[in-house]
Amino acid sequence: MKAINYQKPYVIAEIGCNHKGDMEIAKEMIEMAKIFCKADAVKFQKRCNRELLTPEQYNAPHPHPENSYGDTYGAHREFLEFNVDQHKQLKEWCEEVGIVYSTSVWDLTSAKEITSLNPKFIKIPSACNNHWEMLQWLCDNYGGEIQLSLGMTTKTEEEKIIRLFEDKKRNRDLTIYACTSGYPVAFEDVCLLEITRLRECYEDIVKRIGFSGHHNGIAIDVAAYTLGAEVFERHFTLDRTWKGTDHAASLEPDGLRRLVRNLNATQMSLTYKKDEILPVEMVQRKKLKYRK
């Protein structure tokens, strides 16, 4: 495994559906992620719920009624869904403030709709990384970077995903994320050394290795960076007490701001001394160094 070349960390604020189905809240989150938090990108979600869910799933009650925005799970998901024209507006708002727009796609219809907007990258969530038809369509029809999480994925499935991208000659456009799918994830289940394993297996094959975290706090993201993760994806909300299943595993603005600050500080610090005694030390050496 090659030595790590510590590039500037790339931080994605995953808004997902934490906007509560409100475009004005989504706009505020875009501006907050860029201006206050200094994130590099924001990421939303796009689902065609009739395609993604069976009729039984669509018409069933939400498993956690206290977090539901509708009488059924399907109605809940539709309430939180933005259409493609709204996503076009989200992308325009991102461009106005200078932050990258992206979206996770959960089904083939959504993949086609978001591809029509030509974002810089599209994300495949862990839940859909074995949707082979969608992966093949994106490889054939979308020219940008494809990012893909490997939560709840077997090694056999992982190898099949990588082979598909190699066969399509799109592996150099692929970023893969070490990920544990839970909301939130206990520290003992984060399994940061998966980053090392992914580097050993795929660093020379894919574009980048990332870390998609659903844990509490921001301390272990720095450890993920030192292990070689280059891209960081964290759920983002304006208020962790809001109704919804993702808010509790999300960072509020000050948490995301601190995460960006800490990762950038770590990147600046991961160097060797250019001189045996640095200029900042020379002043102290003259004043403090023991002399007979």
Side-chain angles (χ1 to χ4, degrees):
M1 188 167 57
K2 296 183 296 187
I4 300 171
N5 181 17
Y6 290 108
Q7 301 295 314
K8 186 179 185 301
Y10 191 90
V11 179
I12 301 165
E14 182 176 0
I15 295 172
C17 56
N18 280 350
H19 48 67
K20 304 196 293 183
D22 188 319
M23 285 288 284
E24 288 304 312
I25 292 176
K27 183 180 183 183
E28 181 181 357
M29 295 180 80
I30 290 169
E31 293 170 347
M32 186 69 73
K34 170 61 180 179
I35 298 167
F36 180 71
C37 306
K38 297 180 171 55
D40 298 287
V42 294
K43 184 169 70 66
F44 294 92
Q45 289 183 5
K46 187 75 179 75
R47 308 186 194 203
C48 178
N49 295 299
R50 293 287 186 184
E51 180 178 333
L52 188 63
L53 302 171
T54 66
E56 292 76 18
Q57 290 171 324
Y58 193 96
N59 293 311
H62 194 291
H64 300 284
E66 69 278 8
N67 286 317
S68 183
Y69 287 88
D71 294 335
T72 66
Y73 185 71
H76 161 77
R77 292 256 45 110
E78 299 291 8
F79 184 90
L80 296 173
E81 192 65 37
F82 290 148
N83 63 37
V84 69
D85 289 332
Q86 289 172 308
H87 275 273
K88 182 179 179 182
Q89 178 63 73
L90 295 173
K91 186 170 184 281
E92 290 175 0
W93 284 335
C94 287
E95 290 166 353
E96 287 173 6
V97 299
I99 195 169
V100 172
Y101 158 91
S102 184
T103 298
S104 293
V105 295
W106 287 65
D107 53 81
L108 185 57
T109 296
S110 297
K112 292 178 179 180
E113 289 178 336
I114 296 302
T115 293
S116 72
L117 301 179
N118 195 30
K120 183 176 181 179
F121 66 88
I122 286 176
K123 173 73 187 299
I124 308 299
S126 297
C128 307
N129 66 20
N130 60 347
H131 190 324
W132 308 114
E133 182 184 8
M134 180 172 70
L135 295 184
Q136 291 174 19
W137 189 91
L138 284 168
C139 285
D140 291 339
N141 296 278
Y142 170 65
E145 179 182 344
I146 298 173
Q147 299 188 356
L148 182 146
S149 279
L150 292 169
M152 49 186 170
T153 302
T154 67
K155 300 294 190 300
T156 299
E157 291 170 332
E158 176 186 293
E159 291 166 3
K160 185 176 178 181
I161 291 165
I162 300 299
R163 281 200 305 273
L164 185 154
F165 278 83
E166 287 185 293
D167 291 344
K168 293 290 187 178
K169 296 181 170 51
R170 296 300 308 277
N171 51 293
R172 290 296 182 183
D173 300 320
L174 177 64
T175 291
I176 55 175
Y177 286 92
C179 177
T180 298
S181 298
Y183 305 88
V185 174
F187 291 120
E188 60 267 27
D189 291 328
V190 172
C191 304
L192 280 183
L193 292 180
E194 284 295 300
I195 295 167
T196 301
R197 184 186 67 81
L198 292 176
R199 288 187 61 226
E200 290 173 345
C201 293
Y202 304 119
E203 185 174 44
D204 293 329
I205 297 173
V206 302
K207 180 176 181 178
R208 295 181 294 188
I209 309 295
F211 174 55
S212 179
H214 304 105
H215 52 281
N216 288 320
I218 58 175
I220 62 176
D221 300 82
V222 168
Y225 179 71
T226 63
L227 289 170
E230 298 182 51
V231 189
F232 297 82
E233 178 184 86
R234 294 294 306 270
H235 282 265
F236 177 54
T237 183
L238 298 182
D239 188 338
R240 295 179 73 244
T241 69
W242 275 352
K243 184 172 77 172
T245 53
D246 285 351
H247 294 286
S250 301
L251 296 177
E252 291 180 339
D254 195 52
L256 184 63
R257 180 190 67 83
R258 290 169 183 264
L259 173 66
V260 173
R261 179 200 65 187
N262 291 357
L263 286 170
N264 288 336
T266 303
Q267 191 258 342
M268 292 173 63
S269 71
L270 282 167
T271 61
Y272 294 100
K273 286 187 174 183
K274 296 177 181 178
D275 303 301
E276 288 186 329
I277 302 174
L278 294 172
V280 69
E281 294 180 300
M282 190 60 72
V283 175
Q284 305 306 321
R285 179 181 174 90
K286 291 177 180 177
K287 182 171 65 174
L288 300 174
K289 194 76 172 181
Y290 175 77
R291 293 187 295 274
K292 290 186 179 179

